[in-house]
Amino acid sequence: MRKFLIAGNWKMHTTAIEAEALLKALPEQLQDAPNVDVAVFPPSVYLDLTKRILGGSKIFWGGQNIASEPKGAFTGEISSIMLLDFDSTMVILGHSERRHVFGESDELIRKKIDLALDGGLIPIICVGETLEQREAGNTETVVLGQLQAALTGLNTDFVNKVVLAYEPVWAIGTGKTATPEQAQDVHRSIRNWIEKHFDKHMADSMRIVYGGSVKPANAKGLLSKPDIDGALVGGASLKINDFSEIIKAAKAS
Ligand code: PEP
């Protein structure tokens, strides 16, 4: 039985004061939720604050990105080891903003995945097509190609640890959500791909979360689909009431 994961990606939105208020309100949301894991991804400069507030709670936290090298002269970068220093357990990798705004390639993302796993971090690996790619009928080719680059050749102990996030680029921060059926179709293809390239047990246990304008109003429909195991939430994770409603939708699914 897969446990839902509801993960909040705060991007570069919060001030320290806002981050503190959000963090303090979070543990309350997890009462009686044995079927849900919750994770938050604040800007890295607030990881110390996060550790101090969430330490000892059931909530997970991590970074929104890491460097592709473990250490060295890389001004402005943050290493996997630094995330671990603040008890992070997860890291978001391959987010569409990293791919499309910062030009990260499949190869670079794979280096980061290897580093994260080597250090003991769980990567949430994001894959997803642009609107142009969807309209050209290439959704599956793009998503499975990104998956192949991310996972091929990884040892199975590592593959068992990853979480996958299907995030259609056209739905991120736009208010346009994939319909539950559109999302389910892609999640099913991803699970089939895992079964074909690894095995059925791994496919059945792999958590595949959906991201792209998840809000309280659409969470229930998405989370009711058999292959959707949670949500990677951007905008709505910054409003404690909305994030809490999404967690509630998972609890009830
Ligand atoms: C995201 O940041 O991964 C995301 C899905 O953002 P939003 O929920 O705002 O679309």
Side-chain angles (χ1 to χ4, degrees), residues 186-230:
V186 179
H187 282 231
R188 187 70 239 166
S189 302
I190 292 174
R191 209 175 294 289
N192 288 342
W193 188 94
I194 300 286
E195 179 168 349
K196 184 167 164 212
H197 292 85
F198 294 94
D199 60 49
K200 177 154 171 43
H201 174 73
M202 193 175 288
D204 287 343
S205 55
M206 175 77 64
R207 284 201 285 193
I208 310 170
V209 304
Y210 168 80
S213 298
V214 177
K215 310 280 178 216
N218 57 30
K220 193 165 176 273
L222 288 158
L223 296 173
S224 65
K225 291 294 175 192
D227 289 297
I228 301 183
D229 307 315

Side-chain angles (χ1 to χ4, degrees), residues 157-177:
D157 285 348
F158 277 172
V159 182
N160 270 320
K161 294 200 164 71
V162 309
V163 173
L164 299 175
Y166 168 55
E167 297 211 301
V169 180
W170 47 273
I172 299 177
T174 59
K176 288 185 199 157
T177 324

